[in-house]
Amino acid sequence: MSGMVIVGGGQAGYSIASKLRAENFDGTIHMICSESSLPYQRPPLSKRFLLGEMSEDRLFFKPKTFYINNDIILKLGAIVTYIDRAARKIYCSDGTELSYKKLFLVTGSSPVLFPEMLGGALLKNFYLRSINDVKLLWNEFKFGKHILIIGGGYIGLEIAAIARKKNLKVTLIEAQDRILKRVACSQTANYFTSLHRENGVKIIEGERIIKLIGEKGTFVGAVLSNGEKIFADFSVIGIGAKPCTSLAKNCGLKVENGIMVDSYCQTSDNNILAAGDCSNFPYGSSRLRLESVGNAIDQAESAALNALGHCVEYKAKPWFWSDQYNTKLQIAGLSLGYDKVVVRRDKKALSNWYFQDKKFIAVDAINDAKSYMVAKKLIELDKSPVEANILNPKMDLKLLLTSN
Ligand code: FAD
């Protein structure tokens, strides 16, 4: 049986290949990816790359020579269509067949599509997931044009910020009663709602889009649940992502909101591992699927080590960031299930500290690198700070790490 085969060339795929070589694995490594670019980082797509301030080659994790020098066989622009688990073989859209000793599924996630019957298939509806998506968007990102952003999650908000920087007229529609409802507390959401409104974004919350209006097959506007019609030049749809699991499902692996893996990144087949956005892994007493760079790197590296025969348990330490205008949001921990938020203000810095049953679980630090660093450490140490200390702007936060 031959070496390692990696399906997917995103953050997790790249991290697996590099880790295998860093650990001196000297067998064959194949990495197959449906995209035709060298493996690249996605976060700048909705930030500096969309703004046009970052060149394409700076998105790539490594230049082509890295793969050549490390004997990582890259197959770009090819889709893996089938896995024969009994024969330990994969089949690609171009007819290639490869045998594997260990197979890594790192197929990522893809945007949730707006329903076709409601106008989702109209021209000038855009999504933002890949370099090619940004290139298509660039044609529309012109001074004075009106963009309708559907969805007030981080990607929608980042696109709004870039659009304002480029002097577009921006309307953002959020179906929930506030933006960031799924991922952040109202204090964090309120901060960003105000920031965007101050920068000229029209945010409409609590209204669903009933349908998108088309003329000759092209998007021209939307009808909201309150009957209001909004006309715009193009739309960007950011209503979430779903894990890419069809390959896993079709070969009989266990799939439930992601490819089910154990704490060792092992799927229901001993020779197949999964990591990154596409995987669903144990987290405390429940399960979790994360869409973040931090998770993709850490889980992928654990998967690589486990495929080499180590026994490394993956314990997720969630972190995330978002850049909007001149504001940097840094998130440590997971705020799911919080019952209290303590707000710390220190001059221009703001941080929202999440608690569940008095246990400190997460922080949203806004232009506040110090709170982020300390909070991240506290979560790792499983320490819960006293509320009065967080509230006190004179308190040196680093002391929280050493106090009982
Ligand atoms: P992906 O990066 O999605 O890579 C999977 C790859 O597999 C894709 O190239 C796909 O085409 C390929 N593939 C799928 N199926 C097949 C198949 N059958 N055959 C061959 N190839 C296949 N995270 C943060 O932490 N901070 C941020 O600020 C942030 N910003 C983001 C902004 C944008 C616009 C986007 C889209 C994501 C952002 N994320 C951010 C999320 C982060 O980029 C992802 O969590 C991360 O890229 C996941 O890596 P992955 O390798 O699991 O999946």
Side-chain angles (χ1 to χ4, degrees):
M1 209 46 75
S2 48
M4 308 288 190
V5 174
I6 303 168
V7 184
Q11 179 69 68
Y14 163 75
S15 302
I16 288 168
S18 325
K19 187 71 180 170
L20 288 171
R21 285 297 183 233
E23 290 294 313
N24 297 322
F25 172 68
D26 61 2
T28 346
I29 303 177
H30 281 95
M31 184 150 94
I32 302 131
C33 190
S34 48
E35 291 187 70
S36 48
S37 311
L38 285 172
Y40 64 93
Q41 40 171 338
R42 290 185 203 278
L45 297 183
S46 50
K47 306 177 180 75
R48 288 183 58 220
F49 187 64
L50 180 60
L51 186 60
E53 277 186 356
M54 189 177 182
S55 63
E56 187 168 337
D57 56 356
R58 291 202 45 218
L59 291 175
F60 303 147
F61 297 116
K62 287 278 160 53
K64 200 172 175 181
T65 45
F66 168 83
Y67 302 93
I68 297 168
N69 295 343
N70 283 284
D71 207 7
I72 296 165
I73 305 162
L74 264 186
K75 194 168 180 50
L76 300 175
I79 301 171
V80 177
T81 50
Y82 184 66
I83 303 168
D84 182 341
R85 286 167 50 197
R88 286 206 219 167
K89 275 177 107 171
I90 60 142
Y91 296 82
C92 298
S93 49
D94 62 359
T96 312
E97 298 176 17
L98 287 171
S99 299
Y100 61 85
K101 186 164 177 249
K102 294 283 180 193
L103 178 68
F104 298 90
L105 295 181
V106 278
T107 47
S109 54
S110 63
V112 171
L113 303 180
F114 198 83
E116 258 186 51
M117 58 190 294
L118 302 180
L122 292 169
L123 296 174
K124 301 223 175 185
N125 284 331
F126 296 88
Y127 294 89
L128 207 171
R129 180 79 202 169
S130 65
I131 290 181
N132 286 343
D133 292 339
V134 177
K135 287 180 178 168
L136 290 173
L137 256 181
W138 275 340
N139 297 328
E140 303 298 328
F141 253 67
K142 300 272 159 66
F143 182 95
K145 281 210 181 185
H146 185 183
I147 172 176
L148 180 74
I149 299 174
I150 304 173
Y154 286 120
I155 290 184
L157 293 171
E158 288 181 352
I159 296 169
I162 299 296
R164 285 304 299 140
K165 276 193 175 179
K166 300 206 90 163
N167 268 309
L168 277 80
K169 182 178 171 191
V170 182
T171 305
L172 185 146
I173 312 287
E174 169 54 58
Q176 300 283 340
D177 58 358
R178 65 169 173 84
I179 59 165
L180 301 176
K181 182 101 182 190
R182 221 170 29 88
V183 287
C185 61
S186 56
Q187 291 87 338
T188 299
N190 291 343
Y191 176 92
F192 282 101
T193 304
S194 304
L195 179 70
H196 280 277
R197 287 192 172 139
E198 280 158 21
N199 279 280
V201 176
K202 181 174 182 188
I203 297 184
I204 301 175
E205 293 166 319
E207 295 296 341
R208 272 177 313 108
I209 290 188
I210 298 291
K211 70 167 189 154
L212 299 176
I213 310 166
E215 268 176 28
K216 295 184 186 151
T218 301
F219 165 90
V220 293
V223 185
L224 306 189
S225 40
N226 63 5
E228 188 184 348
K229 284 184 182 158
I230 294 175
F231 291 94
D233 294 300
F234 65 105
S235 83
V236 180
I237 300 166
I239 52 175
K242 55 180 182 357
C244 299
T245 55
S246 56
L247 192 60
K249 216 174 190 167
N250 291 344
C251 72
L253 294 179
K254 213 168 159 204
V255 169
E256 223 179 282
N257 181 29
I259 304 170
M260 300 287 270
V261 294
D262 64 14
S263 308
Y264 301 90
C265 315
Q266 196 74 61
T267 66
S268 47
D269 180 322
N270 280 340
N271 299 310
I272 307 180
L273 301 100
D277 282 16
C278 69
S279 82
N280 184 310
F281 57 89
Y283 186 74
S285 56
S286 64
R287 297 192 67 90
L288 191 62
R289 193 179 72 76
L290 280 177
E291 289 165 14
S292 79
V293 164
N295 176 64
I297 298 172
D298 295 345
Q299 199 186 12
E301 292 189 348
S302 303
L305 288 170
N306 289 329
L308 293 175
H310 300 277
C311 194
V312 180
E313 197 176 349
Y314 175 56
K315 286 197 178 140
K317 295 181 194 135
W319 56 272
F320 190 81
W321 79 95
S322 176
D323 298 326
Q324 294 166 48
Y325 309 101
N326 293 326
T327 296
K328 182 159 217 70
L329 167 70
Q330 291 169 291
I331 302 170
L334 206 66
S335 60
L336 271 179
Y338 69 91
D339 50 33
K340 181 161 195 173
V341 177
V342 177
V343 180
R344 178 182 169 89
R345 285 174 211 280
D346 184 4
K347 298 183 192 115
K348 282 190 173 167
L350 168 72
S351 52
N352 297 320
W353 300 60
Y354 296 81
F355 288 80
Q356 183 181 40
D357 287 339
K358 299 201 164 66
K359 184 179 159 65
F360 174 52
I361 53 170
V363 76
D364 294 343
I366 298 168
N367 292 330
D368 191 351
K370 197 170 194 182
S371 287
Y372 171 73
M373 295 298 287
V374 171
K376 192 164 184 266
K377 258 269 152 18
L378 285 169
I379 295 166
E380 278 165 26
L381 296 169
D382 201 15
K383 279 186 128 183
S384 294
V386 176
E387 186 178 329
N389 286 337
I390 301 173
L391 287 170
N392 179 4
K394 293 205 175 92
M395 172 82 191
D396 179 0
L397 285 178
K398 282 195 193 133
L399 295 177
L400 298 178
L401 295 170
T402 45
S403 63
N404 289 322

